[in-house]
Amino acid sequence: MPNITFIQNNGLEQTVTAENDLSLMVAAVDNHIDGIPAICNGCCSCGTCLVDIDDDYLTITSTKYFGEQQVLDKLKNTNANSRLACQVIVSDKLDGMKVKISN
Ligand code: FES
């Protein structure tokens, strides 16, 4: 199981051990990470699980599908590294990844 570090807007870093094959959002919620309310519970509709993925891991994360991009397009504080944490599937390849919380 990979270790993933969540970074708050104030710079606070919290590293969690995430469970493979579940989403990054679930890893955050299960580990009580602030800033990811995940209001739609992973249905890819609320955008409250917005994160920025580390450059080094951007191409390793699961592919962004059309529905995720539609939600991202409606949000204001996005950039090229933005993903919805509920749409990123955890795997051992993500070990060491840093994720900035964007909400
Ligand atoms: S939890 Fe709602 S879009 Fe990810």
Side-chain angles (χ1 to χ4, degrees), residues 25 36-50 71 84-87:
M25 177 276 282
I36 302 185
I39 292 171
C40 77
N41 201 28
C43 291
C44 195
S45 61
C46 69
T48 62
C49 63
L50 182 63
V71 174
L84 297 177
C86 67
Q87 302 303 306

Side-chain angles (χ1 to χ4, degrees), residues 27-87:
V29 170
D30 283 354
N31 287 282
H32 311 288
I33 301 294
D34 286 336
I36 302 185
I39 292 171
C40 77
N41 201 28
C43 291
C44 195
S45 61
C46 69
T48 62
C49 63
L50 182 63
V51 295
D52 291 344
I53 301 290
D54 217 357
D55 277 333
D56 294 341
Y57 291 85
L58 202 53
T59 59
I60 300 173
T61 56
S62 47
T63 307
K64 205 185 297 179
Y65 87 108
F66 182 67
E68 179 182 4
Q69 188 61 55
Q70 282 186 312
V71 174
L72 289 170
D73 288 345
K74 293 177 187 167
L75 302 175
K76 293 179 181 162
N77 51 338
T78 58
N79 58 57
N81 291 31
S82 293
R83 292 294 308 267
L84 297 177
C86 67
Q87 302 303 306

